Amino acid sequence: MGRYHYVFPRWTNLLLPGAIFMAMVAPLYVVYVVAYGFSPMTTDVGYAPDQVIEYSHKLHAGELGIDCRYCHNTVEYSAKASIPPTQTCMNCHTQIHKDSPKLEALRQSYEKGTPVTWTRVHDLPGYAYFNHSAHVNRGVSCVSCHGRVDRMDVVQQMQPLSMGWCLDCHRNPTENLRDPSEVTNLGWSFKGTEQELVDYHDFWQDHNNINPSQDCSTCHR
Amino acid sequence: MPKMLLYILLIGLIALLIPPALIATERSTVKKKPRVHLVQDMDNQHRYKAQQANEFFEDGRAMRPPVEGTVARNKLNDDAHFIKGLVGDEWATTFPGQIDVTVDLIHRGQNRFNIYCLPCHGEAGFGDGIIHQRAFKLVTAGVNGTTWVQPKSLHEKAIREQPIGQTFNTITNGVRTMAGYGDQVPVGDRWAIVAYVKALQRSQFAQDSDLPAGTNRSELQFEKLPEQETPDETTDDATNPQDEAEQS
């Protein structure tokens, strides 16, 4: 050692290029973590809260084939698809499974006239105004935003429901359009050649004159 | 480089892999807990959305039902024929003036029938819908105190011959174990369903007089149904074939 004790060792030559390299990579890393981590694909998609009643869409809409609109009957007239009132459940459940312990909360609600406290799964920010009827009546199927609910025992959010995701479709809606009479048929798929499918989408776009607005005030008002 | 520094650097680099790993896990799992939005902006505002809860009111609803004895603007409807299917004290035998009976109305009725009626009454109205089939299995197996009365076949004589006002009333207010659909189906659609049910009933109970004049019935059957047994089988499906035989 001796007089060389205070001389920087050779490896310290790496410090400056190392620091420059880190300074370049660190922002990329931060941007990546924030963009990937805070994206609604991470925070919102896959949200499937437990509900007070273990209601299964897979059984009711899938196996029994009850149309979405039997329960969500306001979807064609109103902005909200609406969680059905207890009465709609009781159309059948005054008789079917009427003593089931799983339906205790439902019976309580029916007797007392208080609502069942369902937990909301699909929730837009307070400044976004989505209208179900405007979409459903123009041939955008439930499945485009909600996924195959008829295969879910517990409803799960499938799409980010973010502004960018909305705009993807508002800019290019063609592929999400179908015959409005098939909107609640979640398992529907087009039978025909690729060219026929393109023509099919174009036909419904023309037929219903679909030209979605991208104005701010369309959704934010 | 001192070993110590090298280890710190390595541990640091490995630690940097943890956030992406956590994010990837979060993306691929089903989440039961409420969503976390670190940057709230104005996502959740101090106002109530449709069907939200509000503890201020006794029943916990933020949406208020109309006060008893009040009528919303433009919602007054005292036309008994249209909203109750009554003309005087009798069931209406004609459609109300607001309803134009057209092919479109019957198609609309078919569409609504298939949503609200088909689960129990079945596609053709014989009372054999999928809910009936399932309920019947549950009753047989004795699950959870299930009770069940088979939905009426809409082709029974008594139902076929009832005035349309009564059919409308059944849809609106229910009958026996059937719940009313007055709150679920708007009034115009209920009349459309009545029109479709009438069409459905006629389809299962066609008369010679329904054929265009000059048609030879035996020839028609022979052309359409070469096998002689088929027509008999279709009548057997109806709940009261004898009623129908007597009629014709």
Side-chain angles (χ1 to χ4, degrees):
Chain A
M1 293 290 243
R3 58 187 278 241
Y4 296 111
H5 186 71
Y6 298 104
V7 173
F8 285 107
R10 278 191 83 87
W11 66 264
T12 53
N13 287 339
L14 287 170
L15 281 181
L16 184 61
I20 292 174
F21 178 76
M22 290 299 269
M24 281 162 59
V25 172
L28 288 180
Y29 176 80
V30 171
V31 166
Y32 165 79
V33 166
V34 170
Y36 191 53
F38 287 71
S39 146
M41 288 294 285
T42 311
T43 56
D44 290 24
V45 172
Y47 178 51
D50 286 329
Q51 304 283 359
V52 281
I53 300 170
E54 287 175 50
Y55 175 81
S56 168
H57 279 85
K58 187 178 171 184
L59 171 65
H60 291 82
E63 211 176 302
L64 298 175
I66 300 174
D67 193 281
C68 308
R69 291 166 292 188
Y70 184 90
C71 303
H72 303 290
N73 58 324
T74 62
V75 74
E76 289 172 314
Y77 317 106
S78 129
K80 308 285 172 189
S82 294
I83 305 302
T86 303
Q87 175 59 53
T88 303
C89 311
M90 291 313 248
N91 284 354
C92 299
H93 286 292
T94 46
Q95 300 176 69
I96 300 173
H97 284 300
K98 69 183 164 76
D99 300 336
S100 168
K102 287 182 179 176
L103 296 182
E104 184 54 36
L106 186 70
R107 286 193 298 271
Q108 289 280 325
S109 160
Y110 194 58
E111 280 158 26
K112 293 183 186 160
T114 51
V116 177
T117 51
W118 300 101
T119 304
R120 188 169 183 154
V121 182
H122 300 85
D123 195 11
L124 290 182
Y127 46 78
Y129 294 80
F130 178 81
N131 189 321
H132 275 89
S133 68
H135 291 81
V136 167
N137 293 332
R138 288 177 173 82
V140 179
S141 168
C142 317
V143 78
S144 294
C145 306
H146 295 288
R148 289 300 299 270
V149 176
D150 61 331
R151 289 178 178 171
M152 297 178 194
D153 273 323
V154 180
V155 173
Q156 181 181 339
Q157 182 172 339
M158 298 306 283
Q159 299 291 346
L161 307 186
S162 63
M163 178 166 157
W165 174 82
C166 290
L167 278 173
D168 283 346
C169 187
H170 269 238
R171 288 184 179 129
N172 183 19
T174 322
E175 284 180 11
N176 283 308
L177 300 176
R178 59 169 79 169
D179 180 347
S181 69
E182 295 286 353
V183 286
T184 57
N185 184 359
L186 305 187
W188 179 88
S189 66
F190 184 79
K191 285 167 197 71
T193 63
E194 243 170 74
Q195 185 54 45
E196 281 167 352
L197 179 62
V198 172
D199 293 344
Y200 175 84
H201 286 316
D202 288 345
F203 170 79
W204 286 107
Q205 181 152 17
D206 278 356
H207 185 79
N208 290 326
N209 192 19
I210 308 238
N211 185 21
S213 162
Q214 292 159 40
D215 294 341
C216 310
S217 61
T218 304
C219 312
H220 308 298
R221 48 199 160 80
Chain B
M1 195 192 288
K3 280 255 164 74
M4 180 74 161
L5 211 61
L6 199 67
Y7 288 147
I8 291 173
L9 204 67
L10 270 177
I11 290 170
L13 280 177
I14 291 168
L16 285 181
L17 291 176
I18 293 173
L22 285 178
I23 294 168
T25 322
E26 184 72 6
R27 281 200 171 205
S28 56
T29 48
V30 172
K31 298 178 269 286
K32 297 276 174 207
K33 289 186 196 132
R35 290 157 282 211
V36 177
H37 285 190
L38 284 185
V39 185
Q40 273 287 316
D41 291 332
M42 287 162 72
D43 282 2
N44 297 301
Q45 302 175 3
H46 291 281
R47 65 179 173 87
Y48 289 98
K49 292 181 174 181
Q51 299 194 308
Q52 215 167 350
N54 182 349
E55 287 174 10
F56 179 78
F57 296 105
E58 209 176 324
D59 60 3
R61 290 181 177 95
M63 288 166 82
R64 306 310 307 151
V67 177
E68 221 171 295
T70 61
V71 178
R73 288 179 65 142
N74 296 327
K75 293 286 178 193
L76 178 65
N77 200 335
D78 49 1
D79 183 346
H81 191 174
F82 186 51
I83 60 166
K84 290 182 179 160
L86 280 172
V87 175
D89 287 338
E90 300 283 314
W91 293 121
T93 51
T94 54
F95 282 87
Q98 293 91 330
I99 302 292
D100 273 338
V101 185
T102 59
V103 173
D104 284 346
L105 183 84
I106 292 173
H107 282 309
R108 174 72 182 172
Q110 178 176 31
N111 178 281
R112 297 293 113 174
F113 181 93
N114 288 349
I115 297 171
Y116 299 103
C117 316
L118 173 146
C120 288
H121 286 285
E123 194 161 13
F126 286 105
D128 56 355
I130 190 162
I131 301 297
H132 162 65
Q133 292 168 31
R134 185 176 167 86
F136 192 71
K137 273 185 210 154
L138 292 172
V139 170
T140 318
V143 182
N144 288 328
T146 301
T147 55
W148 190 252
V149 181
Q150 174 161 14
K152 283 280 181 190
S153 165
L154 303 177
H155 306 293
E156 272 179 30
K157 187 165 181 266
I159 294 180
R160 214 173 50 222
E161 289 178 353
Q162 71 183 199
I164 55 175
Q166 192 182 349
T167 312
F168 177 83
N169 178 63
T170 303
I171 298 171
T172 308
N173 297 316
V175 63
R176 291 178 294 270
T177 52
M178 175 183 151
Y181 283 76
D183 291 331
Q184 227 164 320
V185 188
V187 60
D189 283 344
R190 274 177 269 143
W191 281 111
I193 293 174
V194 171
Y196 178 65
V197 166
K198 283 287 145 200
L200 206 56
Q201 287 167 341
R202 191 164 166 186
S203 76
Q204 300 299 319
F205 191 64
Q207 307 284 326
D208 283 354
S209 55
D210 291 336
L211 291 169
T215 318
N216 186 330
R217 192 176 173 206
S218 53
E219 274 175 27
L220 197 75
Q221 273 187 329
F222 186 73
E223 279 170 23
K224 283 201 168 172
L225 304 160
E227 287 166 38
Q228 284 298 311
E229 271 114 86
T230 328
D232 294 335
E233 275 172 21
T234 31
T235 32
D236 280 347
D237 280 347
T239 317
N240 289 332
Q242 280 161 0
D243 281 353
E244 292 184 1
E246 280 163 24
Q247 286 289 309
S248 52

